[in-house]
């Protein structure tokens, strides 16, 4: 319907054609469809929990599980303060357990929530077929399996992005006070998941500007968005004060955008083909309804572009996992494109299902990689297995990076060699350690040294000072092992010849 105050023909037509519920749609859209989509996506994601915890997931365990609430509060004043909402959630969640699959289950549930809302958003924008196909494409993306089985907040960011777009569409249908409040709440949720998740907001802002009467946009959406961004502003200020935590990120050039389809989909095979399909879907949506085409297109391309701008103008920040928030848009636009294929002699299922299966098959190598023990690039159980196979009574262990201790303790518990340097937990993820290594190793003929990185990183050069200190104490390399992925974990055994000082 065309509004009489500040509206436009485009806005009125957009609302009318953007998927408003009809009797025919209701018959084709059982209420349990989003629930089923969410359940299936959660099951796919949770099947990926076979991999070892990554270093980042170990950081989640260290911050939210291994410390009391007071310790968590102390940590976020040093680092990762912008992750406080997620860490608080995991802290409470861990009261019921701290197994790998249990710590990752919230992310799998978040991926399921994203799929469920994505299914209904697709229905609203382009009909039931588009909703089903969007959810199906999202479920088979390797990136969904990875982040849905990752004890970090990126699946929550994707879910919050979908929810905020869904609530915006409901506002466009009927801008009641209740729906406006829900949109503000969804924006607040978005900001609480991850700072860069809000890179989807410009697309929503543009869509709202086009679809709503000008007065409604200025007096309702702008204030609601401002209120919703309050948590984001607070967390952003905290994050800016702790920006040293991402000092490891290297600057990127525009060529990194060519890798965006791979980063969003999690596969260098499935990503480009699905991205091409998604571009077609955006064009179709633009022809059907400009505001919602702008939403889908902006959601798809603005996060990587804006993140690259931040990387170039503010601080290096472009990391592939930060653009996962655009993955739902990739699936949504792809679903719209597939749903628009009309071949009267051919049943719809014979068009949509093979394409979804093709995307799944293209992503199969990445799916298999993510489910290997070292699928998250850190193989703590494998490293411990090397030590246990050759461990002898009286062995010692030292860590090239003290924070690795958390991962080894998580998997090894009380079955590790003697930790001769440990003094206690530091204020952040590092540990307080003794600085007299030679004296600490007195009486130990063999010492295990573990570090994150390749063998060469520790055995040649000065990247891992702890290795040089062990050698200076009179030890010589006996054997070394490295996990398959990079940077991976390296385990090296050093021995001191019998008859020298420190003979056990």
């Amino acid at each position: 319907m065309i509004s009489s105050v500040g509206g436009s023909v485009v806005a009125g037509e957009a609302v009318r054609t953007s998927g408003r519920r009809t009797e025919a749609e209701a018959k084709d859209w059982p209420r349990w469809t989003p629930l089923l989509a969410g359940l299936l996506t959660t099951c796919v994601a949770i099947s990926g929990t076979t991999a070892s915890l990554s270093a980042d997931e170990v950081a989640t365990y260290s911050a939210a599980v291994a410390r009391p609430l007071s310790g968590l509060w102390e940590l976020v004043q040093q680092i990762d303060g912008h992750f406080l909402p997620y860490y608080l959630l995991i802290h409470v969640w861990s009261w019921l357990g701290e197994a790998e699959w249990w710590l990752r289950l919230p992310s799998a549930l978040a991926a399921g929530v994203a799929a469920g809302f994505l299914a209904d958003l697709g229905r609203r924008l382009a009909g039931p077929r588009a909703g089903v196909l969007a959810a199906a494409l999202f479920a088979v993306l390797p990136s969904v399996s990875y982040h849905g089985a990752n004890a970090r907040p990126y699946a929550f960011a994707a879910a919050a992005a979908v929810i905020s777009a869904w609530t915006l569409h409901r506002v466009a249908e009927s801008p009641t006070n209740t729906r406006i409040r829900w949109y503000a709440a969804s924006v607040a949720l978005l900001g609480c998941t991850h700072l860069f998740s809000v890179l989807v907001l410009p697309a929503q802002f543009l869509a709202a500007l086009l679809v709503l009467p000008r007065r409604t946009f200025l007096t309702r959406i702008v204030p609601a968005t401002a209120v919703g961004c309050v948590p984001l502003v607070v967390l952003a200020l905290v994050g800016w004060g702790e920006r040293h935590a991402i000092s490891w990120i290297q600057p990127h050039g525009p060529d990194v955008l060519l890798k965006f389809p791979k980063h969003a989909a999690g596969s260098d095979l499935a990503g480009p083909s699905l991205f091409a399909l998604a571009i077609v879907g955006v064009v179709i949506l633009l022809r059907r309804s400009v505001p919602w085409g702008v939403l889908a297109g902006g959601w798809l391309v603005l996060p990587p572009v804006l993140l690259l701008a931040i990387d170039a103008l503010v601080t290096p920040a472009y990391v592939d996992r930060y653009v996962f928030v655009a993955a739902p848009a990739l699936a949504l636009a792809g679903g719209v494109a597939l749903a628009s294929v009309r071949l009267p002699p051919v049943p719809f299922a014979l068009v949509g299902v093979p394409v979804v299966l093709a995307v799944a098959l293209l992503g199969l190598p990445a799916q298999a990689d993510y489910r290997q023990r070292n699928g998250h690039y850190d193989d703590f159980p494998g490293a411990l297995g090397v030590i246990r196979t050759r461990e002898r009574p009286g062995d010692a262990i030292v860590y090239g990076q003290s924070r690795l201790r958390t991962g080894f303790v998580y998997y090894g518990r009380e079955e590790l060699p003697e930790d001769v340097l440990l003094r206690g937990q530091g204020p952040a993820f590092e540990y307080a350690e003794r600085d007299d290594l030679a004296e600490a190793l007195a009486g130990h003929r063999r010492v295990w040294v573990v570090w994150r990185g390749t063998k060469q990183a520790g055995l040649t050069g000065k990247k891992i000072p702890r290795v040089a200190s062990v050698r200076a104490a009179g030890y010589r390399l006996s054997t070394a092992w490295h996990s398959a992925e990079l940077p991976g974990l390296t385990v090296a055994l050093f021995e001191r010849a019998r008859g020298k000082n420190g003979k056990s």
Side-chain angles (χ1 to χ4, degrees):
M1 175 160 96
I2 301 175
S3 170
S4 60
V5 181
S8 67
V9 174
V10 171
E13 183 65 18
V15 174
R16 186 168 65 251
T17 62
S18 62
R20 185 183 291 276
R21 188 185 299 272
T22 64
E23 292 182 6
E25 277 186 334
K27 292 180 180 179
D28 293 339
W29 189 256
R31 292 183 177 181
W32 46 261
T33 303
L35 181 62
L36 180 61
L39 179 62
L40 291 176
T41 303
T42 294
C43 290
V44 171
I46 202 65
S47 69
T49 60
T50 51
S52 166
L53 293 180
S54 67
D56 283 344
E57 291 178 286
V58 169
T60 296
Y61 170 80
S62 174
V65 182
R67 304 166 192 255
L69 198 58
S70 58
L72 172 57
W73 178 246
E74 183 181 1
L75 179 137
V76 297
Q77 295 178 65
Q78 306 289 329
I79 193 172
D80 277 4
H82 59 289
F83 284 143
L84 180 59
Y86 174 72
Y87 285 159
L88 287 174
L89 170 67
I90 299 301
H91 181 79
V92 175
W93 182 265
S94 68
W95 293 348
L96 299 178
E98 53 184 66
E100 284 174 341
W101 72 271
W102 183 252
L103 295 179
R104 288 166 166 169
L105 182 57
S107 292
L109 293 172
V113 169
F117 276 92
L118 191 65
D120 197 57
L121 180 60
R123 175 193 67 81
R124 288 169 168 272
L125 298 183
R129 292 180 177 181
V132 170
L133 288 169
L137 288 171
F138 186 72
V140 301
L141 290 181
S143 59
V144 173
S145 287
Y146 182 87
H147 291 292
N150 187 25
R152 299 298 280 175
Y154 306 109
F156 287 87
V162 180
I163 292 171
S164 60
W166 182 85
T167 55
L168 178 63
H169 191 274
R170 280 172 53 82
V171 168
E173 285 183 333
S174 178
T176 63
N177 288 336
T178 299
R179 292 189 176 190
I180 292 288
R181 292 190 190 102
W182 276 114
Y183 179 65
S186 70
V187 172
L189 175 64
L190 186 66
C192 288
T193 58
H194 189 267
L195 293 182
F196 293 126
S197 67
V198 297
L199 297 178
V200 304
L201 284 182
Q204 295 181 16
F205 211 66
L206 288 174
L209 177 63
L210 292 171
V211 78
L212 290 169
R214 186 65 54 84
R215 179 177 297 177
T216 301
F217 174 77
L218 293 175
T219 62
R220 310 292 293 280
I221 291 297
V222 172
T225 303
V227 171
C229 284
V230 169
L232 165 68
V233 172
V234 174
L235 293 173
L237 290 174
V238 172
W240 179 253
E242 299 174 351
R243 60 189 180 279
H244 61 276
I246 60 171
S247 60
W248 56 272
I249 301 177
Q250 297 298 313
H252 290 81
D255 58 303
V256 75
L257 295 178
L258 298 176
K259 300 179 181 179
F260 167 68
K262 172 189 174 182
H263 294 160
S267 166
D268 54 1
L269 297 177
S273 56
L274 184 55
F275 185 77
L277 184 65
I279 294 298
V280 175
V282 170
V283 173
I284 291 171
L285 269 179
L286 284 170
R287 295 180 62 184
R288 177 176 301 179
S289 169
V290 172
W292 303 117
V294 168
L295 172 70
W299 185 359
L300 178 64
V301 302
L302 285 181
V305 171
L306 293 177
L307 186 60
L308 183 61
I310 293 171
D311 186 278
L313 301 176
V314 183
T315 185
Y318 197 104
V319 180
D320 55 359
R321 56 182 176 268
Y322 295 170
V323 297
F324 177 64
V325 72
L330 184 69
L332 175 64
V336 170
L338 284 181
S340 300
V341 177
R342 303 291 181 179
L343 301 174
V346 181
F348 162 71
L350 294 182
V351 176
V353 173
V355 175
V356 173
L357 289 177
V359 173
L361 287 174
L362 288 173
L364 204 56
Q367 295 275 16
D369 285 343
Y370 293 150
R371 284 163 172 77
Q372 293 179 10
R373 192 175 64 186
N374 60 351
H376 287 198
Y377 311 112
D378 291 296
D379 186 4
F380 285 99
L384 275 166
V386 171
I387 294 175
R388 286 170 176 168
T389 299
R390 300 189 60 177
E391 183 183 3
R392 295 178 186 173
D395 283 1
I397 187 170
V398 298
Y399 297 91
Q401 301 96 355
S402 71
R403 66 172 56 194
L404 285 179
R405 183 178 278 104
T406 306
F408 278 84
V409 170
Y410 175 81
Y411 284 102
R413 301 300 174 181
E414 304 299 329
E415 301 177 9
L416 291 167
E418 183 182 352
D419 190 346
V420 294
L421 296 182
L422 177 63
R423 287 190 182 276
Q425 177 71 58
F429 294 117
E430 306 295 340
Y431 288 80
E433 294 184 323
R434 296 175 56 174
D435 54 9
D436 54 340
L437 183 140
E439 183 177 343
L441 289 176
H444 297 276
R445 195 176 68 85
R446 294 161 30 114
V447 55
W448 296 91
V449 185
V450 296
W451 64 87
R452 191 166 193 258
T454 63
K455 291 181 185 179
Q456 291 73 18
L459 300 179
T460 61
K462 300 179 180 179
K463 291 184 177 180
I464 311 296
R466 190 69 73 198
V467 174
S469 299
V470 168
R471 281 175 163 159
Y475 293 85
R476 297 294 177 264
L477 177 67
S478 173
T479 185
W481 169 92
H482 180 262
S483 58
E485 299 291 344
L486 297 176
L489 294 173
T490 296
V491 177
L493 174 62
F494 287 80
E495 298 188 54
R496 186 156 49 188
R498 294 183 182 275
K500 295 185 178 182
N501 289 338
K503 176 182 176 181
S504 56

